[in-house]
Amino acid sequence: MGHVPESRKARSAEAARFEVFLRSRKLKLTGERLAVLASIFQRESHFDAETLHAHLRTAGGNISRATVYRTLDLLVQSGLVRKNSLGASHANYEAAQGDEHHDHLICLNCSQVVEFYRPDIENLQEQICAAHGFKLIHHSLQIFGLCPGCTGQADEGTIRNRVAQLHT
Ligand SMILES: [Zn+2]
Ligand SMILES: [Zn+2]
């Protein structure tokens, strides 16, 4: 088996979709944009731009912070990446896996994020929209609390302070 270069491995279905999107904006799928995409789809969790930038730098790239932010914006616009606040003042991101939708539980102590999907909650939201004559286009449900490991461990004052400063 020969050595497969990183850039070749990353030419996935996501890369093809991103390339089509970029072309529609008269932009190219550069090596740096591809590296950002590959890094996101390799890790499959919630992350922020700074963490992603640090990751790419550690991986040996010389990519600038500005390029990471611009590429993230493009990925969000293309629908390949979703943007959430998860309570933070800065944006968090995650790879969008097809049409899959989920909501989030966020631990106020350790910042652990748990994904869930409940059809009954989804239905209820549709009913609420219908009752108000709203066409549902997007929703984001974030529940903040303490994970099993942090229940009883977290300092109450700290947690109260975090709740007061949540960005939702
Ligand atoms: Zn926790
Ligand atoms: Zn998620």
Side-chain angles (χ1 to χ4, degrees):
M1 284 220 294
H3 174 72
V4 182
E6 210 48 46
S7 59
R8 283 275 293 283
K9 272 193 281 184
R11 288 222 168 247
S12 50
E14 290 85 33
R17 263 184 66 191
F18 194 32
E19 192 162 30
V20 169
F21 169 81
L22 288 169
R23 213 177 295 140
S24 76
R25 300 285 178 97
K26 307 248 180 287
L27 295 168
K28 286 207 165 88
L29 182 57
T30 60
E32 288 193 327
R33 286 180 180 140
L34 187 59
V36 171
L37 176 82
S39 177
I40 293 169
F41 278 85
Q42 270 156 24
R43 261 171 310 139
E44 236 185 275
S45 64
H46 307 88
F47 62 91
D48 61 22
E50 290 302 314
T51 311
L52 177 65
H53 182 232
H55 228 268
L56 287 158
R57 295 291 285 244
T58 315
N62 205 21
I63 193 164
S64 73
R65 181 174 273 106
T67 301
V68 171
Y69 276 89
R70 272 200 305 267
T71 306
L72 274 171
D73 272 343
L74 289 165
L75 283 163
V76 170
Q77 287 169 46
S78 76
L80 283 156
V81 167
R82 275 193 212 110
K83 197 173 176 177
N84 307 295
S85 80
L86 302 181
S89 57
H90 60 272
N92 279 283
Y93 302 87
E94 66 183 320
Q97 312 288 352
D99 289 334
E100 180 264 2
H101 164 77
H102 60 254
D103 291 308
H104 296 109
L105 291 164
I106 301 121
C107 178
L108 286 163
N109 192 52
C110 71
S111 304
Q112 181 191 160
V113 178
V114 177
E115 300 182 340
F116 70 92
Y117 177 80
R118 281 287 298 261
D120 46 350
I121 292 180
E122 302 295 320
N123 287 338
L124 195 53
Q125 290 178 132
E126 273 163 33
Q127 288 171 35
I128 293 164
C129 285
H132 291 268
F134 254 67
K135 177 180 160 55
L136 197 158
I137 291 171
H138 171 78
H139 82 264
S140 153
L141 177 57
Q142 307 186 117
I143 301 177
F144 297 91
L146 294 170
C147 74
C150 291
T151 305
Q153 306 293 314
D155 175 68
E156 251 181 67
T158 308
I159 298 306
R160 246 198 317 265
N161 197 28
R162 292 213 177 125
V163 172
Q165 294 184 43
L166 281 177
H167 290 76
T168 53

